[in-house]
Amino acid sequence: DRALKGLIEGVVDDSWSSINLSRLDGAETGQAAQALEEARTPPFGGGDRLVLLQRSPFCNACPTELADQFEAALELIPDNTHLVLVNPAKPDGRLRTTKALQKRIKQGLDQEQSFVLPAVWDGAGQRHLVERTAIAIGLTLEPDAIDALVEAIGNDSARLESELRKLALRAGQDGQVSSQLVGELVGGLATNALQVGDALLDGKPGDAIARWDALIDAGEPALRIVATLTGQIRGWLWVSLLEQQGERDVAVIAKAAGIGNPKRIYVMRKQLQGRPPKRFLSLLGRLLEVEARLKRGALPADAFRDGLLG
């Protein structure tokens, strides 16, 4: 949304925006075809024309007739008219419409910009997200403040921007934000089941309990948390065992451990250094006890403390 706002402000003359700016929704019947028609029209008055199509169908499950119209329209868009296609999902590279766009991007005729959020396990990626968003708003964050924001918000980009704008009102004249200011203004604990497992791995039972309780309070089913933790710890066990056997190929390790993204293996290797496989076997056994207690009707808080930490 921030990138779209910047693009619109950069190319559309505000005095002529009622004529030269169109906002359409590709999920509504006929609006995708209307976007193609309007994109072939030069701007009127000052500035450029911009046609914004949210939920674009052109690169995901595009009907043949609409694909034909799209390919024909690409060559007819004036230089001072911009057709902006917003895709909620990753474009399907098998479609001819996507291939046509990719070819034009390689030729420098069109541009592509992606906004992929970091995974819940990607701490470095979440730090980069905080840093990029702060720079875009014009804030400077102390290193401890970045850590505090990641801890409180995680990869929730909408809340992150909202909280940073709130912090900007209290920041000093130099735009500097301290961890103390983050602690005063940004509340809550952004967590997920994987972070409960990370706390257990690091030998921090108090942190694990706090995160478990935060998930339960947020309405997360206890058995679903246990299932996620079981998968996480089983993955650690596989990685640890294969590392012990001398396996270095991350693709082989990821496949054996049932991990979809091989890049995650690099993060896990750092986590698991110096930790023997028997530690993960012990954690899996305790998780079975937690699951058994839950199925016998124990309260989630009691089941976790008594089964896993008892």
Side-chain angles (χ1 to χ4, degrees):
D1 288 343
R2 188 169 61 245
L4 287 171
K5 181 181 178 182
L7 177 62
I8 292 169
E9 291 175 349
V11 301
V12 178
D13 188 325
D14 191 54
S15 303
W16 297 90
S17 62
S18 60
I19 298 174
N20 290 332
L21 175 61
S22 300
R23 299 177 183 270
L24 301 169
D25 187 342
E28 298 293 330
T29 304
Q31 292 203 10
Q34 181 184 341
L36 296 177
E37 292 177 9
E38 294 195 20
R40 295 196 294 265
T41 307
F44 185 80
D48 292 0
R49 177 185 294 279
L50 189 143
V51 181
L52 173 62
L53 183 64
Q54 297 281 3
R55 295 192 285 183
S56 167
F58 294 118
C59 295
N60 297 92
C62 185
T64 302
E65 183 179 351
L66 190 59
D68 292 339
Q69 296 176 32
F70 178 71
E71 290 182 322
L74 285 177
E75 305 297 332
L76 303 176
I77 299 174
D79 291 339
N80 51 358
T81 296
H82 311 271
L83 174 60
V84 181
L85 308 177
V86 179
N87 264 58
K90 182 180 179 180
D92 187 344
R94 299 169 296 180
L95 298 182
R96 60 189 176 98
T97 47
T98 304
K99 291 177 180 177
L101 272 179
Q102 288 173 339
K103 182 179 179 181
R104 289 175 59 87
I105 290 168
K106 289 179 180 178
Q107 293 172 341
L109 301 174
D110 295 328
Q111 297 178 19
E112 179 182 21
Q113 193 169 359
S114 62
F115 302 88
V116 181
L117 291 176
V120 293
W121 50 264
D122 185 3
Q126 292 178 26
R127 284 181 59 86
H128 291 322
L129 173 65
V130 171
E131 290 169 345
R132 288 198 310 270
T133 310
I135 290 170
I137 292 175
L139 284 176
T140 304
L141 302 176
E142 294 179 358
D144 288 348
I146 296 173
D147 293 335
L149 283 165
V150 170
E151 182 76 7
I153 298 172
N155 63 350
D156 186 342
S157 60
R159 186 186 168 206
L160 173 62
E161 174 149 356
S162 173
E163 296 290 359
L164 284 173
R165 292 195 180 281
K166 183 168 67 176
L167 288 166
L169 299 175
R170 288 279 304 276
Q173 293 183 347
D174 56 355
Q176 185 88 5
V177 173
S178 66
S179 58
Q180 181 181 352
L181 185 59
V182 173
E184 291 173 1
L185 298 184
V186 182
L189 175 67
T191 193
N192 54 66
L194 297 181
Q195 290 174 327
V196 176
D198 290 343
L200 291 171
L201 181 68
D202 293 337
K204 299 177 179 177
D207 191 15
I209 290 171
R211 292 183 181 279
W212 171 277
D213 289 345
L215 288 171
I216 297 298
D217 291 343
E220 187 74 12
L223 286 172
R224 184 184 298 169
I225 302 173
V226 170
T228 302
L229 285 170
T230 301
Q232 179 187 25
I233 296 170
R234 187 179 291 121
W236 287 340
L237 176 61
W238 270 104
V239 172
S240 180
L241 289 171
L242 289 169
E243 286 270 303
Q244 246 187 15
Q245 295 173 9
E247 180 61 65
R248 305 303 298 171
D249 189 328
V250 293
V252 172
I253 296 173
K255 184 176 181 181
I259 295 169
N261 186 351
K263 291 181 181 178
R264 190 177 171 191
I265 300 299
Y266 296 109
V267 177
M268 293 174 72
R269 277 176 171 167
K270 292 180 180 178
Q271 284 182 302
L272 305 182
Q273 281 182 347
R275 295 181 169 93
K278 64 181 181 181
R279 176 170 174 77
F280 312 124
L281 286 170
S282 173
L283 284 173
L284 284 174
R286 294 186 181 188
L287 275 177
L288 284 174
E289 179 63 27
V290 174
E291 183 176 352
R293 288 173 182 268
L294 287 169
K295 290 179 176 178
R296 287 198 296 265
L299 293 174
D302 294 338
F304 184 76
R305 287 163 176 77
D306 297 340
L308 201 57
L309 304 176

